[in-house]
Every structure is written in structure tokens, then in C-alpha cells.
Amino acid sequence: MLQFIVQGRGGQGAQKAGEILANIFFSEGKYVQAYATYGGARRGTPVSSFIRVDDKPIRLRCNIENPDVILVFDPSLLNETLLKGAGEKTLVVINSTQAPEEFAALGKFKIFTIDGMAIAQANRLGRIVNSALVGAVTGLLGQPDIDLVAKVVGETSPVKVEENINSCLDGYRMAREGRVLNA
């Protein structure tokens, strides 16, 4: 079973990213369990999405305690609580301009940083980084197939479909070419 935690702030697209990831894996024929939590439903408050993916039905009905992937939209949200169940094999993807080494003090995780904001702005998406980060996560995991990922991103984008697809593809390429700390 593959377990994800997506952490961001209201207005960054973190909940949408969780929805997109769930749709991608469901479209691949996997069993998916996804849910979200959020604070005061205001821009800037912390929001979280949780996703489980497996080849067989998912019977667990509890919080994700040992994530395989943590996708962080805002580095200020990195804290002990978020990283509590993470281990050496946990992939922590951080939307940041800083190098992965800058986050080494967090623990012995597989850390990857990507400047989702630069990708979004280059694709005329403003501050919405979810497509770039979804592309990066799937690129780092090597699954699902990028054509399926791009198709689902396009289908789930309410506006600027081509821009979102291109942002996803850019994030995917950067992840495939990048370096992961502690890999």
C-alpha cells in the first residue's frame, strides 16, 4: 500500500492536488481511499489531504501514521507532528527554492525540493503550484505513466487546462532530472 500526506495552506491547491492524485491512481485501476481536513476554510490556514493507494481493496479506516510520501506546499508547515511517522524510506517533496540539503536537519528522509512557484508562473498559473507538484511526485515515484497523469490533470483542471498540463509535465521532468537527498 502506498500512503500519501499532502500538506499546504488554503488557496495553494493542496486539497486539489490530493484529489488529482487520487483520480490518477483510480484511473490506473487502483483502489483509492482519500480524505481531507482543513481549518477555518480560509485562505492561508493549514489544509491536509490523505491518500491510500493499493492493488486490493483498502480496509483501513484510520489516520496515516507511516506515510510513504509527504508532499509539502509550504515549508513553514514542516514540523515534528507532520514528520512523526516518517522513516528513512519516506519521500518528502517540498515546494521550495532551497536545496534539499537545507532541510537535512529534519531527519534522515528522502528529501526533494522543487520550485513549484517558478514552474506555475512560467506556465501562467500565478501562485497555484498543485499541477507542478503532482508532476514532481509522480516523476519521483516513477508511477503512474506520465501520459495518464497529464490526461487526468487536464480533465480535473477547471481552467487553464493546457497551462496545468504543461506545469505538470515540467514538474515531472524536473523530478526525473533532479537529485534526492538521502536516496
Side-chain angles (χ1 to χ4, degrees), residues 2 5 14 17 28 30 32 39 75 78 82 84 86 94 105 108 139 141 144 156:
L2 192 57
I5 297 175
E28 188 184 40
K30 304 281 187 186
V32 177
L78 287 164
L82 177 62
K84 180 174 58 174
I94 306 167
K108 205 157 173 61
L141 292 174
T156 57

Side-chain angles (χ1 to χ4, degrees), residues 22-113:
N23 282 324
I24 289 167
F25 284 103
F26 183 77
S27 294
E28 188 184 40
K30 304 281 187 186
Y31 289 91
V32 177
Q33 181 186 85
Y35 60 97
T37 62
Y38 47 93
R42 291 184 329 222
R43 188 172 293 278
T45 59
V47 297
S48 302
S49 290
F50 305 90
I51 306 140
R52 287 188 174 101
V53 177
D54 207 344
D55 292 324
K56 55 188 184 292
I58 300 168
R59 307 243 188 268
L60 284 175
R61 298 290 184 255
C62 60
N63 290 333
I64 293 176
E65 295 177 359
N66 302 106
D68 299 293
V69 178
I70 301 175
L71 177 56
V72 183
F73 278 57
D74 182 344
S76 72
L77 295 170
L78 287 164
N79 60 41
E80 190 176 300
T81 303
L82 177 62
L83 300 170
K84 180 174 58 174
E88 289 185 15
K89 294 182 180 181
T90 302
L91 175 62
V92 181
V93 180
I94 306 167
N95 176 37
S96 176
T97 58
Q98 296 180 321
E101 292 81 11
E102 298 297 319
F103 297 95
L106 293 174
K108 205 157 173 61
F109 314 117
K110 295 179 184 176
I111 299 173
F112 181 81
T113 59

